[in-house]
């Protein structure tokens, strides 16, 4: 579904991605793990068109999407949940969800998907008239994921969804990611520093160090790998 070939992305003279290759098949959850500053967010920003790559190629379902602007990426069904959530603090939960569906015209489908996300996160249903900015960090993460689902993503890009959440919420968010993948058949690209949870959630994983992919394997194998265990799982 998504193929990244020899991608190089810069911020001015700083090379953040040094020729990376990543492949994501339809229906998979694929994770990208790595330390702070490894280039994980830049990878997502390169896909979503926010930081256009300098060279290399990104294809989505066979179509070259390299360097395409974000407003052309979203209608293809590639929807990003940015790090730090970025919900609309002054809009209510329902209004935030409506914003996620702004390109859609199928009112019945929108209603069905709103019911689906309220069913995933009952706390959002209870607080549907409350302003987004009054929610806790965990609830804002739930809202950010829900808003992305309202866009009916084919490929959901998640940037550190567990960041700053209490352990019980971290578990909930990863359970929900698996549920969305299974029930909605949404393909997921999950960027995480929480390697343990990410590798237990995804099917396939990539390890990134200073702008390079250093390992790629099934998550089952990565969880058994001595280097991964030492560097990322603290075992
Ligand atoms: P984190 O987990 O901290 O978000 P990351 O793996 O997502 O880390 P990136 O944010 O992609 O890493 O950063 C990759 C490199 O690019 C780092 O060296 C970072 O300092 C640099 N970088 C990121 N954003 C910018 C920017 N706007 N301008 C200049 N350099 C940047």
């Amino acid at each position: 579904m998504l193929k990244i070939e020899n991608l190089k992305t810069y911020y001015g003279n700083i090379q953040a991605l040094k020729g990376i290759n990543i492949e994501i098949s339809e229906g998979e959850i694929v994770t990208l793990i790595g330390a702070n500053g490894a280039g994980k967010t830049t990878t997502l920003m390169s896909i979503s068109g926010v930081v256009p790559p300098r060279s290399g190629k990104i294809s989505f379902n066979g179509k070259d999407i390299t360097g395409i602007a974000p407003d052309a990426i979203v209608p293809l069904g590639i929807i990003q949940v940015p790090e730090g959530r970025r919900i609309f603090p002054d809009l209510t939960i329902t209004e935030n969800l409506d914003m996620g569906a702004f390109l859609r015209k199928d009112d019945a489908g929108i209603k069905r998907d709103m019911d689906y996300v309220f069913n995933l996160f009952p706390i959002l249903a209870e607080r549907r008239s409350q302003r987004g900015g009054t929610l806790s960090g965990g609830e804002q993460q739930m809202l950010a994921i829900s808003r992305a689902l309202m866009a009916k993503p084919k490929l959901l890009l998640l940037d550190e969804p567990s960041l700053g959440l209490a352990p019980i919420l971290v578990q909930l968010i990863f359970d929900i990611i698996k549920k969305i993948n299974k029930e909605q058949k949404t393909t997921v690209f999950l960027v995480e520093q929480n390697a343990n949870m990410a590798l237990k959630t995804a099917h396939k994983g990539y390890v990134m160090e200073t702008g390079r992919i250093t390992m790629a394997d099934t998550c089952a194998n990565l969880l058994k790998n001595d280097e991964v265990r030492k560097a990322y799982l603290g075992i």
Side-chain angles (χ1 to χ4, degrees):
M1 179 182 240
L2 188 87
K3 191 167 185 188
I4 300 179
E5 296 166 89
N6 199 19
L7 198 73
K8 297 179 181 168
T9 302
Y10 291 72
Y11 297 100
N13 291 327
I14 301 167
Q15 187 173 12
L17 300 182
K18 299 171 182 164
I20 64 162
N21 296 290
I22 289 177
E23 277 189 50
I24 301 174
S25 301
E26 192 167 358
E28 275 186 322
I29 304 177
V30 174
T31 189
L32 175 63
I33 60 170
N36 242 331
K40 304 183 300 298
T41 297
T42 305
T43 304
L44 292 188
M45 296 297 197
S46 300
I47 299 169
S48 60
V50 178
V51 184
R54 194 170 290 179
S55 65
K57 188 174 173 190
I58 307 173
S59 352
F60 182 64
N61 287 330
K63 180 182 149 93
D64 186 353
I65 60 161
T66 322
I68 287 179
D71 61 350
I73 291 287
V74 170
L76 298 175
I78 302 177
I79 310 294
Q80 184 171 355
V81 179
E83 187 180 328
R85 294 122 203 178
R86 313 244 184 97
I87 54 134
F88 300 105
D90 295 326
L91 300 185
T92 66
I93 289 178
T94 307
E95 288 165 346
N96 265 278
L97 294 175
D98 283 337
M99 292 300 280
F102 80 103
L103 284 180
R104 295 175 62 184
K105 292 186 175 61
D106 56 326
D107 288 348
I110 293 172
K111 162 93 180 52
R112 208 170 38 243
D113 287 340
M114 199 169 294
D115 288 345
Y116 179 78
V117 300
F118 281 151
N119 193 39
L120 276 183
F121 299 114
I123 189 112
L124 296 183
E126 281 168 32
R127 303 191 177 173
R128 64 183 78 195
S129 306
Q130 207 168 306
R131 284 191 311 117
T134 65
L135 299 175
S136 71
E139 289 158 1
Q140 290 191 17
Q141 186 62 66
M142 295 175 199
L143 180 55
I145 293 173
S146 299
R147 187 182 58 189
L149 289 180
M150 293 302 295
K152 267 211 158 318
K154 292 192 179 81
L155 175 63
L156 185 62
L157 308 175
L158 296 172
D159 196 355
E160 305 231 16
S162 77
L163 195 72
L165 302 188
I168 189 156
L169 283 179
V170 171
Q171 184 66 56
L172 173 80
I173 293 292
F174 284 107
D175 286 346
I176 293 285
I177 293 167
K178 276 196 236 178
K179 196 168 169 171
I180 293 165
N181 170 254
K182 209 166 165 199
E183 292 180 351
Q184 303 282 301
K185 314 267 176 266
T186 310
T187 308
V188 179
F189 189 33
L190 169 66
V191 157
E192 260 298 337
Q193 274 194 57
N194 186 336
N196 183 38
M197 291 300 290
L199 292 175
K200 284 178 179 156
T201 303
H203 305 111
K204 203 169 81 186
Y206 289 86
V207 179
M208 181 170 247
E209 282 171 34
T210 56
R212 289 196 167 85
I213 300 292
T214 53
M215 269 184 263
D217 208 334
T218 63
C219 289
N221 283 343
L222 289 173
L223 281 164
K224 285 188 284 193
N225 182 290
D226 281 342
E227 268 175 71
V228 173
R229 287 163 73 85
K230 239 184 265 153
Y232 298 101
L233 303 176
I235 302 173

